[in-house]
Amino acid sequence: MAQEQTMKPETAAKKLGILLAAAPESFRAEPVTRTAFDELRTQPPTWLEEIRRDGPHPRPVVAQKLGVSISGLVRAGVEEPLTTAEIKALLQEMPEWLVRERATQAEVHAENARVKQERADKAAARAQD
């Protein structure tokens, strides 16, 4: 019988959107089987729900919750994982860097949408020819 596929704890944590250091030792110590990973996604244990709710969160999650890019976090000097409470505090304070990076992110999204629409329009025009 074939051995079940496994992944490193770092990979599993990244796919779950959590900071590996915040996970319990039992999760960090052993490779995660595909079955165990699927179970974590579909029926998350209490520890996983708490980490997702309260943090600390990895950079991609922090960036998404703040509405900025990961590069924007780096430009602002935000290099440490943040908790949900710290993210909420930043959103209430709205420091200048956050306002600037959110505007930059909005411009990027608008430009991506414009390019996507332009490509769709060109494809539709070609289809009619």
Side-chain angles (χ1 to χ4, degrees), residues 40-51:
L40 285 169
R41 282 191 2 209
T42 58
Q43 298 172 341
T46 304
W47 66 263
L48 181 54
E49 289 177 339
E50 288 173 357
I51 292 172

Side-chain angles (χ1 to χ4, degrees), residues 8-14 18-24 27-29 51 56 58:
K8 294 178 183 175
E10 295 89 357
T11 304
K14 190 173 187 177
I18 63 168
L19 193 64
L20 181 62
F27 178 84
R28 292 181 283 161
I51 292 172

Side-chain angles (χ1 to χ4, degrees), residues 66-116:
L66 289 174
V68 300
S69 66
I70 293 172
S71 299
L73 289 178
V74 173
R75 284 190 293 271
V78 179
E79 297 178 13
E80 296 297 316
L82 298 178
T83 64
T84 300
E86 291 169 325
I87 292 168
K88 285 181 180 176
L90 280 172
L91 289 170
Q92 287 178 341
E93 294 167 19
M94 287 303 281
E96 181 186 333
W97 71 264
L98 184 54
V99 172
R100 185 176 58 248
E101 292 300 337
R102 286 174 69 115
T104 299
Q105 188 75 344
E107 289 172 13
V108 168
H109 286 301
E111 177 63 11
N112 288 344
R114 185 194 66 77
V115 168
K116 185 177 179 180

